[in-house]
Amino acid sequence: MISKLINGIKEKNAPVVVGLDPQLSFVPEQILNKYYKEMGYTLEAVAEAIYEYNVGIMDACADFIPAVKPQVAMYEQFGVPGVAAYKKTVDYAHKKGLVVIGDIKRGDIGSTSGAYAMGHIGTVQIGDQKIVPFDEDIVTVNPYLGSDGVKPFIDVCNENDRGIFVLVKTSNPSSGEFQDRIISDDSRPLYEIVADKVNEWGLTSMDGDYSNVGAVVGATYPEMGIALRKLMPKAYILVPGYGAQGGSGKDLKGFFNEDGLGAIVNSSRGIIAAYKNEKYASFGAEGYADASRAAVEDMLTDIRENI
């Protein structure tokens, strides 16, 4: 699967992914009011509004980007209708030719991780039918439970040509409370130990020059990104933290390999809520999707000038 993502990055010269993380405050009022009028102030109305909002952004940006990354929690907060909107978003992204990175951050004991993996990137057997439930191409995985929680995902990746991004050094301010702790046995921070495991796991799921087992490393920690790039030479790095969280193009060079590949940079609210930014305010709420497209163009310019 990583080769499919790489081909999209090369074709569009765009190592970027748009995070479809819809908060209710991001959805333009004209879309919300349309469904409130039709369906009342209900979860179903919100779910339909979110889906329409996502479609508009994907229609505006699909020719520029290789992938989208919907964050499942932003849909789950709206219950079953929200989860249905998540699935519809995944399916529409595929119709637009986009790779879907499901930001689900799952990780549990072996059998439970196996169930998560089958539901999101695998198949379930029902009678004589194999059915694909959510159908993301790649998902994010939390490694806190160790190999027991990660290997079931790798097994499903190998069976179904899918991928995972393992959390290594996340972009949030408090990540260091655990991830930066020095491990006394070899005097290195925990995130480097996790990186070693990602490199080891990755060798069991190679897809060309890179592995289907990638890593999440935040743009907000560029020096750590340089060190982790060396520890995981075959792992693609998903880089959150660009834009609204403070990361910029000048922070990114160390995440990439000399071949110009090896990383894909995420921006979520900086793209999908661009019309609320003063820089793009002239588009207005009616032009929210065009504002998102303009923000993607600016992001690409920034990254191309710095890597």
Side-chain angles (χ1 to χ4, degrees), residues 218-223 226 239 241 246-255 306:
T220 45
Y221 301 104
E223 296 84 4
I226 293 169
V239 187
S248 64
K250 62 183 175 56
D251 301 316
L252 298 173
K253 188 174 181 62
F255 292 86
N306 283 282

Side-chain angles (χ1 to χ4, degrees), residues 26-64:
F26 293 171
V27 182
E29 286 190 8
Q30 76 270 11
I31 299 177
L32 284 170
N33 289 336
K34 169 184 171 182
Y35 289 101
Y36 287 156
K37 183 177 180 180
E38 179 182 334
M39 307 172 78
Y41 289 93
T42 61
L43 294 173
E44 288 78 9
V46 169
E48 289 300 320
I50 284 172
Y51 176 63
E52 181 175 320
Y53 171 65
N54 287 347
V55 166
I57 291 167
M58 286 187 278
D59 284 348
C61 300
D63 60 324
F64 276 178

Side-chain angles (χ1 to χ4, degrees), residues 210-223:
Y210 287 91
S211 172
N212 287 318
V213 180
V216 177
V217 181
T220 45
Y221 301 104
E223 296 84 4

Side-chain angles (χ1 to χ4, degrees), residues 165-187:
F165 285 113
V166 178
L167 305 183
V168 175
K169 177 57 186 173
T170 56
S171 59
N172 56 300
S174 67
S175 65
E177 289 178 358
F178 297 126
Q179 296 167 19
D180 295 3
R181 291 285 181 174
I182 301 300
I183 305 303
S184 59
D185 286 350
D186 52 2
S187 300

Side-chain angles (χ1 to χ4, degrees), residues 74-254:
M74 298 302 180
Y75 302 83
E76 288 176 344
Q77 67 180 317
F78 300 114
V80 172
V83 174
Y86 177 85
K87 170 58 175 166
K88 287 167 64 177
T89 296
V90 171
D91 292 344
Y92 192 79
H94 283 149
K95 287 180 183 177
K96 300 296 290 187
L98 299 168
V99 171
V100 178
I101 302 170
D103 196 352
I104 64 172
K105 295 185 178 70
R106 301 295 199 255
D108 212 309
I109 63 170
S111 59
T112 310
S113 273
Y116 280 137
M118 287 187 291
H120 284 276
I121 54 174
T123 60
V124 292
Q125 188 78 36
I126 301 177
D128 61 355
Q129 300 292 317
K130 279 191 173 181
I131 298 174
V132 180
F134 281 102
D135 199 26
E136 301 101 314
D137 300 298
I138 304 170
V139 292
T140 55
V141 174
N142 189 327
Y144 193 74
L145 274 73
S147 296
D148 289 340
V150 176
K151 286 185 176 178
F153 281 93
I154 298 173
D155 290 341
V156 172
C157 286
N158 290 340
E159 292 165 5
N160 297 275
D161 187 25
R162 302 298 173 104
I164 59 174
F165 285 113
V166 178
L167 305 183
V168 175
K169 177 57 186 173
T170 56
S171 59
N172 56 300
S174 67
S175 65
E177 289 178 358
F178 297 126
Q179 296 167 19
D180 295 3
R181 291 285 181 174
I182 301 300
I183 305 303
S184 59
D185 286 350
D186 52 2
S187 300
R188 293 197 298 158
L190 178 58
Y191 65 80
E192 289 193 2
I193 308 301
V194 178
D196 286 343
K197 292 301 292 184
V198 168
N199 191 58
E200 176 187 321
W201 293 325
L203 296 176
T204 68
S205 188
M206 293 300 295
D207 182 18
D209 292 334
Y210 287 91
S211 172
N212 287 318
V213 180
V216 177
V217 181
T220 45
Y221 301 104
E223 296 84 4
M224 296 174 185
I226 293 169
L228 290 167
R229 174 73 282 164
K230 294 175 182 176
L231 290 174
M232 303 179 293
K234 300 295 184 182
Y236 236 78
I237 298 177
L238 172 62
V239 187
Y242 179 93
Q245 292 188 54
S248 64
K250 62 183 175 56
D251 301 316
L252 298 173
K253 188 174 181 62

